[in-house]
Amino acid sequence: MVGARPQFIKAAMVSRALRSRDGVREVLVHTGQHYDAAMSAVFFEELKIPQPDYNLEVGSASHGAQTGRMLADLERVIQAERPQWVVVHGDTNSTLAGTLAAAKLHMRVAHVEAGLRSFNRAMPEEVNRVVADHVSDVLFAPTDIAEANLKAEGIAPQKIVRTGDVMLDAFQFYSALIADKPLPAGVDPSTPYVLATVHRAENTDDPARLRAILDALLAVAKQVPLVFPIHPRTRKAIEQLGRQEHIAAQLRLLPPVGYLDMLNLERHAAVIATDSGGVQKEAYFSGVPCVTLRTETEWVELVECGANTLVSPDDSQAMAQTICKRVGQRVATGSLYGDGRAGARIVDYLLASAK
Ligand code: UD1
Ligand code: UDP
């Protein structure tokens, strides 16, 4: 069950592991939460994910309307297919709908990337994670801290399986394919640059905060070129602020890039500034320092080891200073996220317990 960009990347590795085993049928369902070619089709093509068996084409809407449409359609699909496991990934509205639809039909649900917490219920993702974790039958936890979070919420230890992070599997597998790949849009790897991504609702939907973030990125770009592949949500929010021409003149704006281009941009970056969950980890996998434009993160181990620095998205001066300070400070990569075999472990568990 997938629907949004980060889920295509996570599911690519679980799907690969499933397809490597005999006698297993995977029914891939795409909710259609993300639908632009640059937010969806490019990942299926590049990562060689099989075409979805179902595309529910729910599109964009308010949380209730979007999740409700998914629920109604997923119920029909699950009833028709009667799978032995329903596998959901991450923390989007597609995760929430998949979990609820399956659980209400008494189907077994497995949650990949379970146990992450920001402890900020104002984030839609936090609500989605908490519900998915408490309703699922097995929780695939990527880290020690994720496992501890689940236990602290009273989830039975026998439901929790430590697997490592499927995003490390994806990083390792696909990085091997881009050794000689040129950077997108003529970005020059020999000139240090900052890579930025911004898309969190808390950052884009509050005009004052988005203005502060853009001011910080503009200040940084006076010192170091800044490359900014832009999520459609953020592009629309910048248009509403009426600042798109000024921003486009100062920053290197790109449309959302495919995963291979993104890995390539990450590994050559001098520093990454982001509010993405996945990008924080990929910065660490790449040995590149990360500045997270949020006051909290789910991936606290990265802050503890010094790979990632949190900075308030309301304080443009602090953001600009922190990003500039971290330019070129390489970080040591380690084994916080496992060994790159999380997908295989997940599939081992699912097959061993298939009824
Ligand atoms: C969603 C997830 C978020 C995840 C992110 C990954 C929820 C609540 N949020 O946020 O956790 O980090 O995906 O990228 O599930 N849009 C397009 N084209 C698309 C998709 C979206 O133009 O293909 C625009 C629409 O204006 C839409 C807006 O982006 O209203 C937001 O899309 P939505 O899927 O609701 O949330 P994301 O911000 O993408
Ligand atoms: N990503 C991508 N192209 C982009 C921006 C991000 O391929 O233009 C990838 C990124 O490498 C990571 C994933 O998308 O693997 C993260 O997704 P996103 O930032 O949309 O969501 P989050 O991880 O915050 O839920």
Side-chain angles (χ1 to χ4, degrees):
M1 249 268 333
V2 294
R5 175 165 71 186
Q7 292 166 328
F8 308 138
I9 294 154
K10 297 176 225 258
M13 298 317 291
V14 176
S15 178
R16 240 169 220 289
L18 271 174
R19 279 177 286 136
S20 71
R21 310 295 174 92
D22 291 331
V24 184
R25 187 164 81 92
E26 178 192 31
V27 178
L28 192 61
V29 184
H30 187 333
T31 62
Q33 178 172 350
H34 286 176
Y35 44 85
D36 288 349
M39 296 296 289
S40 175
V42 65
F43 298 96
F44 285 81
E45 286 154 22
E46 277 191 343
L47 310 190
K48 309 249 182 303
I49 308 170
Q51 281 309 303
D53 297 276
Y54 295 86
N55 190 328
L56 309 178
E57 296 182 355
V58 297
S60 303
S62 64
H63 287 276
Q66 186 183 56
T67 311
R69 273 181 219 151
M70 291 179 196
L71 264 174
D73 289 356
L74 285 168
E75 188 168 71
R76 278 191 285 277
V77 172
I78 294 170
Q79 272 172 325
E81 297 286 348
R82 315 277 321 160
Q84 283 165 313
W85 279 107
V86 173
V87 182
V88 296
H89 299 265
D91 56 16
T92 72
N93 287 349
S94 297
T95 317
L96 175 66
T99 312
L100 282 180
K104 293 270 182 153
L105 292 169
H106 308 135
M107 293 285 165
R108 291 189 304 164
V109 190
H111 185 202
V112 177
E113 205 181 77
L116 276 298
R117 294 291 182 270
S118 64
F119 302 102
N120 174 4
R121 291 271 173 112
M123 291 179 73
E125 294 84 1
E126 185 77 353
V127 177
N128 295 343
R129 291 178 199 122
V130 169
V131 175
D133 284 340
H134 283 265
V135 170
S136 292
D137 299 282
V138 59
L139 293 311
F140 294 124
T143 61
D144 291 342
I145 292 176
E147 181 174 358
N149 287 339
L150 293 169
K151 287 183 176 158
E153 289 176 17
I155 289 182
Q158 60 272 22
K159 283 184 164 184
I160 306 168
V161 182
R162 272 290 298 287
T163 55
D165 190 347
V166 289
M167 290 198 73
L168 176 60
D169 300 22
F171 177 86
Q172 291 180 349
F173 184 88
Y174 293 103
S175 290
L177 308 183
I178 59 164
D180 304 318
K181 192 175 165 64
L183 287 169
V187 176
D188 176 4
S190 63
T191 306
Y193 63 86
V194 179
L195 176 65
T197 80
V198 176
H199 77 279
R200 293 250 88 82
E202 315 81 88
N203 283 345
T204 58
D205 293 6
D206 174 344
R209 186 172 286 170
L210 180 60
R211 239 182 248 114
I213 292 172
L214 294 171
D215 285 344
L217 300 183
L218 289 166
V220 170
K222 290 199 171 113
Q223 301 184 45
V224 193
L226 191 140
V227 180
F228 188 4
I230 194 160
H231 189 291
R233 167 182 217 117
T234 315
R235 181 173 43 74
K236 287 172 193 170
I238 293 174
E239 281 164 14
Q240 277 173 5
L241 286 184
R243 294 186 70 185
Q244 64 274 34
E245 279 164 28
H246 181 55
I247 303 287
Q250 309 296 319
L251 310 181
R252 187 74 183 268
L253 295 187
L254 304 180
V257 295
Y259 180 63
L260 301 184
D261 279 336
M262 189 64 184
L263 289 184
N264 212 8
L265 283 168
E266 287 169 342
R267 72 188 175 133
H268 287 110
V271 60
I272 296 176
T274 192
D275 61 7
S276 158
V279 174
Q280 292 173 54
K281 288 179 290 172
E282 288 163 0
Y284 168 75
F285 303 152
S286 307
V288 173
C290 185
V291 178
T292 296
L293 312 178
R294 290 176 50 193
T295 47
E296 83 278 305
T297 179
E298 303 72 33
W299 304 104
V300 280
E301 56 282 332
L302 293 177
V303 178
E304 284 164 7
C305 78
N308 191 1
T309 309
L310 298 177
V311 57
S312 166
D314 295 317
D315 186 342
S316 50
Q317 209 183 359
M319 282 184 276
Q321 279 172 356
T322 310
I323 296 167
C324 289
K325 195 169 119 208
R326 296 227 57 183
V327 165
Q329 291 180 349
R330 297 285 303 174
V331 303
T333 60
S335 56
L336 291 172
Y337 297 99
D339 59 3
R341 289 188 34 79
R345 257 179 225 112
I346 287 168
V347 170
D348 285 344
Y349 182 93
L350 295 176
L351 298 189
S353 53
K355 287 191 208 146

